């Protein structure tokens, strides 16, 4: 379980740093319209790399052998710890670093006609970001874990 906690911390800290980089680059303000083009690819790459490293470390700590089910459970536990830790980092970011985080996205989507004000306010808030982020992480993480576990297991078979 130490491996899963270690890599969950690495994941949320890197995500937190990425949010700060996005903010500094204006992706939460002046360049908000291109925000989605940078966020999704980053999190796909981050997820694959972190999960690969975690499962490889777990395999190394298991004498160089790992079963599919053990690799899969490593990914599931890693996901669990990320979902537990992430809200604290998101809260710190949105309350102390970028206090306009949600309002900037609300204003952008209303100004561009993507959403009504009420729909934007319902969508861009701390609670919804935590719920949606958790669902997204579960889908991405389990997908990455399944793929990685198949290949890691094949190497050891």
């Amino acid at each position: 379980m130490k491996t899963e906690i270690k890599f969950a911390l690495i994941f949320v800290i890197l995500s937190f740093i990425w949010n700060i980089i996005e903010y500094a680059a204006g992706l939460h303000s002046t360049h908000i319209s291109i925000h989605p083009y940078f966020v999704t690819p980053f999190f796909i790459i981050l997820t694959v790399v972190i999960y690969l490293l975690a499962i490889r470390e777990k395999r190394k700590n298991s004498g160089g052998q790992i079963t599919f089910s053990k690799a899969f459970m490593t990914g599931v536990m890693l996901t669990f710890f990320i979902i537990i830790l992430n809200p604290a980092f998101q809260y710190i970011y949105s309350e102390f670093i970028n206090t306009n985080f949600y309002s900037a996205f609300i204003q952008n989507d209303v100004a561009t006609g993507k959403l009504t004000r009420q729909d934007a306010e319902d969508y861009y808030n701390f609670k919804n970001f935590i719920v949606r982020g958790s669902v997204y992480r579960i889908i991405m993480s389990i997908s990455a874990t399944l793929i990685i576990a198949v290949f890691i297991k094949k190497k050891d078979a």
Side-chain angles (χ1 to χ4, degrees), residues 100-120:
N100 295 320
F101 179 71
Y102 302 112
S103 63
F105 284 94
I106 291 169
Q107 290 172 349
N108 180 68
D109 280 10
V110 171
T112 59
K114 290 180 185 173
L115 295 172
T116 66
R117 174 154 298 280
Q118 186 58 53
D119 288 343

Side-chain angles (χ1 to χ4, degrees), residues 34-102:
I34 62 171
H35 178 262
Y37 303 111
F38 290 93
V39 174
T40 303
F42 171 76
F43 279 104
I44 290 171
I45 293 166
L46 179 64
T47 300
V48 170
V49 169
I50 294 296
Y51 280 70
L52 178 61
L53 293 173
I55 293 170
R56 285 174 73 189
E57 182 172 299
K58 188 64 107 174
R59 180 178 70 181
K60 181 181 143 209
N61 293 341
S62 300
Q65 299 290 321
I66 192 166
T67 63
F68 174 86
S69 60
K70 189 169 184 177
F72 183 74
M73 284 311 298
T74 298
V76 169
M77 292 304 296
L78 179 55
T79 302
F80 173 76
F81 289 123
I82 289 170
I83 289 171
I84 295 297
L85 293 169
N86 191 60
F89 284 87
Q90 182 64 32
Y91 179 80
I92 292 166
Y93 177 76
S94 63
E95 289 294 318
F96 300 106
I97 296 172
N98 183 1
T99 58
N100 295 320
F101 179 71
Y102 302 112

